Amino acid sequence: EVQLVESGGGLVQAGGSLRLSCAASGFIFDDYAIAWFRQAPGKEREGVLCITSDGRSQRGDSVEGRFTISSDNAKNTVYLQMDSLKPEDTAIYYCAADQGRCSVLVRAYRYWGQGTQVTVSS
């Protein structure tokens, strides 16, 4: 059974940083792409960044260079480092996984975590 568990969310002031973690289990990590998405209240879920086990990554249109993605293949964990956070980054952040190439499209992923809340105060 594929499981994705996000952690690391919380409340942070504008300009601060957070690192989210996505711990994956139940599949061969090397065969999958893993991505971060976010969904703000009243808005559609949007892709943030994705990564494959060989280090290839793709960035969503709405995300600037303030966010970076990395993976620790030995721990089956993908990280989202978020710096210089802004109030508009407030959202629930989800990780998702599926076989295949990196994508920041929601429809590319079958497996999703439960999400972690990130709130950035002004």
Side-chain angles (χ1 to χ4, degrees):
E1 179 186 4
V2 174
Q3 287 193 329
L4 302 167
V5 180
E6 301 98 334
S7 61
L11 174 64
V12 63
Q13 289 188 331
S17 297
L18 280 176
R19 188 177 80 158
L20 306 184
S21 299
C22 173
S25 63
F27 61 91
I28 300 174
F29 198 72
D30 289 354
D31 293 344
Y32 278 65
I34 297 182
W36 285 98
F37 291 81
R38 66 183 182 183
Q39 188 165 18
K43 295 188 176 181
E44 292 186 354
R45 193 169 298 188
E46 62 180 7
V48 177
L49 282 159
C50 73
I51 193 167
T52 54
S53 62
D54 61 358
R56 299 182 185 185
S57 64
Q58 182 177 349
R59 185 179 299 275
D61 291 339
S62 65
V63 177
E64 308 158 8
R66 300 178 293 116
F67 291 10
T68 56
I69 192 169
S70 62
S71 67
D72 185 334
N73 293 350
K75 295 183 178 179
N76 284 7
T77 300
V78 171
Y79 304 98
L80 181 67
Q81 178 68 41
M82 305 186 294
D83 299 317
S84 302
L85 283 161
K86 304 176 181 180
E88 51 264 44
D89 295 319
T90 295
I92 300 175
Y93 283 72
Y94 300 90
C95 68
D98 213 322
Q99 291 177 297
R101 300 167 66 178
C102 223
S103 172
V104 290
L105 300 177
V106 172
R107 64 175 182 266
Y109 296 90
R110 289 176 290 170
Y111 307 107
W112 293 82
Q114 81 288 351
T116 185
Q117 176 71 49
V118 171
T119 303
V120 184
S121 63
S122 56

